[in-house]
Amino acid sequence: MRTPTRCRALVAILAVASVLFLSPAPAVADIGGYTVTGTGGQGLKVRADPYDATTQPVSVLADGTPFSAVCAVRGRDVFGNNVWHRISVPVQGWIADFYTTTPGFNQYLPGEPECYHRTTARDWAYAHYLDDERFPGNDCTWFVSQALWAGQVPRTSAWTDQPAPTVPAVRADALKNTVVQAGYATIREVGWTDVTAGGAQVGDLIAYDWAGAPDGVIDHLAIVTSLDAQGAPSVTQHSLARKDRYWSWDPGENKPISASHPGSRVYLIHVTR
């Protein structure tokens, strides 16, 4: 694995640019005012996944139950309607738009944002991990930024590539701060012995503080691209290019990161958008 300081800093001009883009995008409020309908008394199954019909229901909502929508995706087709809403009330999960009182058939609610497409972000990472690095030796954050954008996490004025990459698009700690402050993600430290990395999901980020003594500054980022049968994540990354590296393993040293970088700390950045 490349020297751990490589993904922390870039050229000074990017640091100057950070002064110009300090305002994160506000979190989008949940959308209410709609209820479950048309289930014939069977109730609407709340799913853990809008694409997979085999997943066990999280809950069942009776006709007339109000809900709050967070965002939507186009998932599994239900009688010609493939819109699914991620809801936060009365439970968290996914419901098919077909069985709701929303105003448009096969349409998102007015003002409803696109949800994070975790598998799309993963697929982008798989397709591009062998691409040339735009910032050689320092490309980890630029790589995960592009994967998140591919998964429909919205750019902000602070975190963008338009007209050129801003500091949070290319510096690990700045990206961490930006997505958390924008309400796109949460962050918490996890232990190296927690094989699930705090319950990481495909599309989440694993953040590493491994340069010198731990200081809380993130030095490297990688995106979770697979989980094994025990829920242990593997990650895909740049600097160095790796596909499905076990999240806590250093293949360059052929040992755990906790051994190759004594005192290092690790965090789960869970995308909630």
Side-chain angles (χ1 to χ4, degrees):
M1 189 169 292
R2 194 175 290 270
T3 304
T5 56
R6 296 299 180 107
C7 273
R8 176 179 285 197
L10 283 172
V11 292
I13 190 169
L14 290 174
V16 173
S18 67
V19 177
L20 304 177
F21 302 98
L22 293 178
S23 299
V28 177
D30 294 355
I31 302 171
Y34 305 101
T35 61
V36 174
T37 190
T39 71
Q42 298 299 307
L44 175 57
K45 294 177 180 177
V46 182
R47 300 285 187 178
D49 188 317
Y51 307 100
D52 187 355
T54 66
T55 58
Q56 290 297 312
V58 174
S59 182
V60 178
L61 306 182
D63 286 341
T65 303
F67 63 87
S68 293
V70 178
C71 55
V73 297
R74 294 197 175 274
R76 182 166 52 86
D77 186 88
V78 179
F79 301 112
N81 188 336
N82 64 6
V83 170
W84 286 71
H85 305 281
R86 182 160 69 87
I87 64 171
S88 59
V89 174
V91 295
Q92 295 188 34
W94 296 88
I95 60 172
D97 179 74
F98 184 85
Y99 295 106
T100 70
T101 60
T102 56
F105 183 81
N106 201 30
Q107 296 178 18
Y108 289 10
L109 292 168
E112 185 176 25
E114 187 90 3
C115 293
Y116 181 36
H117 292 212
R118 293 178 177 274
T119 55
T120 302
R122 174 204 64 197
D123 293 346
W124 187 95
Y126 280 160
H128 295 279
Y129 81 100
L130 289 177
D131 289 359
D132 290 341
E133 295 188 350
R134 180 167 182 172
F135 303 99
N138 297 286
D139 209 52
C140 64
T141 306
W142 177 238
F143 179 79
V144 299
S145 288
Q146 293 175 95
L148 293 173
W149 293 329
Q152 301 299 320
V153 177
R155 293 166 173 82
T156 72
S157 59
W159 176 51
T160 185
D161 57 349
Q162 301 169 0
T166 54
V167 171
V170 296
R171 277 186 23 194
D173 199 66
L175 174 59
K176 173 262 293 181
N177 291 336
T178 298
V179 296
V180 171
Q181 291 168 7
Y184 292 170
T186 60
I187 183 169
R188 67 185 183 91
E189 186 171 4
V190 298
W192 289 113
T193 58
D194 180 354
V195 296
T196 70
Q201 301 176 28
V202 167
D204 285 342
L205 306 182
I206 304 296
Y208 302 87
D209 173 12
W210 61 15
D215 55 8
V217 175
I218 302 305
D219 304 303
H220 180 68
L221 292 169
I223 186 168
V224 176
T225 44
S226 66
L227 303 172
D228 69 13
Q230 288 71 47
S234 291
V235 297
T236 298
Q237 64 176 58
H238 262 190
S239 301
L240 294 171
R242 305 284 190 193
K243 179 183 179 183
D244 282 337
R245 170 181 65 79
Y246 187 72
W247 71 279
S248 62
W249 188 255
D250 183 343
E253 297 292 332
N254 197 30
K255 62 178 67 173
I257 293 172
S258 58
S260 63
H261 300 104
S264 56
R265 299 165 70 177
V266 63
Y267 301 82
L268 171 64
I269 298 177
H270 173 57
V271 181
T272 57
R273 180 65 162 80

